[in-house]
Amino acid sequence: MAEQRLLSELCSICNSNAPKYRCPRDAVRTCSMACHRRHKQWAQCSGERDPAAYVKKSELATPAGIDRDFNFLTGIERAIERREREAEEREESLRGGRQVRAGFAPVPGSKYWRRLKDAGVVVDRAPKGMSRQRQNRTRYLNRSQCICWTIEWVHPDQSKTIDEIKDTTPLSDEYDALVKRMEKKRKREDEAVKKESTVVSPTPETSKQVKADSSQKELDKTLDQNSKAQSTFIPATRSTSETELQNVANLDGQSNPDGNIQTDTANDAQPSADFGAQTMSAEIKTESIGSTQQYHFYLVKPHTATAKHVLIPLPRQGTLDKCLRHQVVLEFPTIQVLRESPDRIPEAFMLEAEYVGKEKEDETEFKQLVSGVAVPSTDEVPDDGKVDDRKIIEVLQQDLSNSASQ
């Protein structure tokens, strides 16, 4: 007679064969891949190891524990590489097959590198993976023989826009083009919102027309009912219904001699307070980004020891190949756009000349403070700078003996 096995010693799915596999997720034992797939389907199991699952301390420093940690780390690395590869493929497809790497550093000796070196531009690279490093698409254009800079525009309302401009194009022309693109985009968004509001919510004129139609239907229905009633009750019923309907009509409009209800259109010609506020805000928004002739451009200086933004004035018709000479930028330039001229900028900003003057004052004050501090004497230190080990041991022994006697 064949020996019967316990159910715990058999496959947990078919209960007929000895188990060969163990699920990494919940340790369910199965005999084949078919049973394993059936287990994942029945238990809604992903079949992947849970990195947050509790592991005993005694199981950490074991070959299985080391393999588990190693597989977890390599899995993260593979996932990151896969996501980066997919992002590069998407970017390449969007740019028509021309791939632009993020945070591309110029190769020493290349045209890009020589152009930056000749202009004295120092580009500080942000750590890999930071948002500013990922946004950087600065590159050298061989056809135009110029650098296409990624640039961060900071508008007067402190909103930011990432754009790409050539270093041979005036700043005012590039900002004018950017403003026009933003206005077109805003108009398209406003038109889309208007279409949605027209479909979803009725206008005030439509609501009043619906009320007038409903009042007219109630009047006709009441008149039909009164005409079928007895003649002795016609005057009283008719006068009462007309009075009630007249009161209803007075709420929504005025009644003419023919009995038709006319809505009051005098109020329709005047916009409501909400409409005026929306129009006003739209005008303010358009004005804040509108005409660029009154704007001034400033280069934001990085790595400053002050809470204020340090600005370097730039000419309106200046180009980046001249404006960035002997300047330091963090990955790519940041240009602040303000209505105020350099002689009356807001308090949240500071010009470079003022910042340099304050830095010199602080340095002078620091030197004066240091000069007043007494420097300890170094007579006991040998001239050769070496320390005698025997003297140190003698001093330590003397301290120990003094503490023991106390």
Side-chain angles (χ1 to χ4, degrees):
M1 183 176 179
E3 183 180 1
Q4 294 182 355
R5 292 186 177 182
L6 298 176
L7 290 178
S8 59
E9 298 177 355
L10 298 176
C11 174
S12 59
I13 301 299
C14 63
N15 295 325
S16 58
N17 299 322
K20 297 180 181 179
Y21 309 100
R22 187 186 297 272
C23 179
R25 186 73 177 185
D26 48 14
V28 173
R29 304 178 67 185
T30 54
C31 63
S32 62
M33 293 303 298
C35 290
H36 179 67
R37 286 192 292 267
R38 196 175 296 113
H39 153 69
K40 292 171 61 177
Q41 183 179 2
W42 289 355
Q44 296 297 317
C45 176
S46 62
E48 299 178 357
R49 191 185 305 276
D50 184 12
Y54 174 76
V55 179
K56 295 181 181 180
K57 188 176 181 180
S58 58
E59 298 179 359
L60 294 177
T62 59
I66 296 175
D67 290 343
R68 180 170 53 250
D69 295 341
F70 177 79
N71 294 333
F72 174 67
L73 295 176
T74 54
I76 292 177
E77 293 179 355
R78 285 196 298 268
I80 293 175
E81 293 176 356
R82 183 167 58 253
R83 296 296 184 273
E84 291 179 351
R85 186 165 56 252
E86 292 175 356
E88 292 177 358
E89 292 176 356
R90 286 197 303 269
E91 183 178 356
E92 184 177 358
S93 62
L94 290 175
R95 293 180 177 271
R98 180 173 57 85
Q99 182 179 354
V100 180
R101 286 182 290 174
F104 173 66
V107 179
S110 61
K111 295 181 180 179
Y112 182 15
W113 181 82
R114 287 199 300 268
R115 192 175 182 89
L116 292 177
K117 185 178 180 181
D118 294 341
V121 182
V122 179
V123 180
D124 286 348
R125 298 293 172 181
K128 187 176 181 181
M130 302 295 288
S131 60
R132 197 168 182 87
Q133 185 267 339
R134 294 196 305 267
Q135 293 172 350
N136 189 10
R137 294 293 184 272
T138 303
R139 59 195 180 277
Y140 185 80
L141 302 179
N142 291 318
R143 180 176 298 179
S144 303
Q145 297 295 316
C146 65
I147 296 178
C148 182
W149 282 97
T150 297
I151 191 170
E152 180 182 27
W153 295 101
V154 184
H155 303 289
D157 59 353
Q158 299 307 308
S159 61
K160 299 179 181 180
T161 303
I162 302 296
D163 195 15
E164 292 183 356
I165 66 174
K166 297 180 180 179
D167 63 352
T168 56
T169 307
L171 296 176
S172 58
D173 297 347
E174 289 291 346
Y175 192 68
D176 289 341
L178 174 65
V179 167
K180 291 179 181 178
R181 293 197 301 269
M182 294 175 63
E183 289 181 353
K184 289 181 180 179
K185 181 179 179 181
R186 183 180 58 81
K187 288 180 180 179
R188 289 195 299 267
E189 292 177 353
D190 293 344
E191 291 177 356
V193 171
K194 287 181 180 179
K195 290 181 180 179
E196 292 179 359
S197 61
T198 303
V199 175
V200 175
S201 60
T203 60
E205 291 79 2
T206 307
S207 301
K208 291 185 177 181
Q209 185 64 31
V210 171
K211 291 181 179 179
D213 294 341
S214 61
S215 300
Q216 183 66 31
K217 289 181 180 179
E218 291 179 359
L219 179 61
D220 296 340
K221 183 178 180 180
T222 305
L223 292 176
D224 292 340
Q225 292 178 355
N226 292 336
S227 62
K228 295 179 181 179
Q230 297 179 358
S231 59
T232 55
F233 294 99
I234 288 177
T237 307
R238 186 177 184 83
S239 61
T240 303
S241 60
E242 288 180 355
T243 303
E244 295 175 352
L245 292 173
Q246 183 67 24
N247 294 332
V248 173
N250 290 334
L251 295 176
D252 296 331
Q254 295 179 351
S255 175
N256 60 3
D258 298 335
N260 296 327
I261 295 177
Q262 297 178 351
T263 58
D264 186 5
T265 58
N267 295 330
D268 297 343
Q270 300 178 359
S272 62
D274 296 337
F275 178 79
Q278 293 175 1
T279 307
M280 184 83 63
S281 62
E283 291 177 356
I284 292 174
K285 185 175 180 180
T286 305
E287 184 181 358
S288 64
I289 311 179
S291 177
T292 61
Q293 298 297 328
Q294 55 186 343
Y295 290 149
H296 301 270
F297 302 105
Y298 303 88
L299 178 65
V300 179
K301 185 180 181 66
H303 310 308
T304 55
T306 178
K308 296 183 178 181
H309 298 284
V310 180
L311 305 180
I312 303 173
L314 302 177
R316 285 184 46 83
Q317 296 299 323
T319 56
L320 289 181
D321 60 345
K322 297 179 180 179
C323 294
L324 295 181
R325 286 187 176 274
H326 309 291
Q327 298 293 342
V328 179
V329 296
L330 182 58
E331 282 289 344
F332 50 84
T334 299
I335 296 182
Q336 174 71 54
V337 183
L338 295 175
R339 297 178 182 274
E340 292 79 8
S341 58
D343 55 348
R344 54 185 185 90
I345 60 174
E347 294 184 358
F349 304 95
M350 178 189 300
L351 294 180
E352 184 186 27
E354 181 182 359
Y355 174 74
V356 173
K358 288 190 175 183
E359 284 288 309
K360 290 182 179 179
E361 293 178 0
D362 295 341
E363 186 177 357
T364 303
E365 183 179 358
F366 177 75
K367 288 181 179 179
Q368 293 176 356
L369 292 174
V370 172
S371 61
V373 178
V375 181
S377 177
T378 57
D379 296 338
E380 298 180 358
V381 180
D383 296 337
D384 56 358
K386 296 181 180 180
V387 180
D388 192 353
D389 296 339
R390 289 178 298 178
K391 290 184 178 181
I392 294 177
I393 294 173
E394 291 177 0
V395 171
L396 292 175
Q397 289 177 351
Q398 184 178 1
D399 293 340
L400 292 173
S401 60
N402 292 335
S403 60
S405 61
Q406 292 177 359

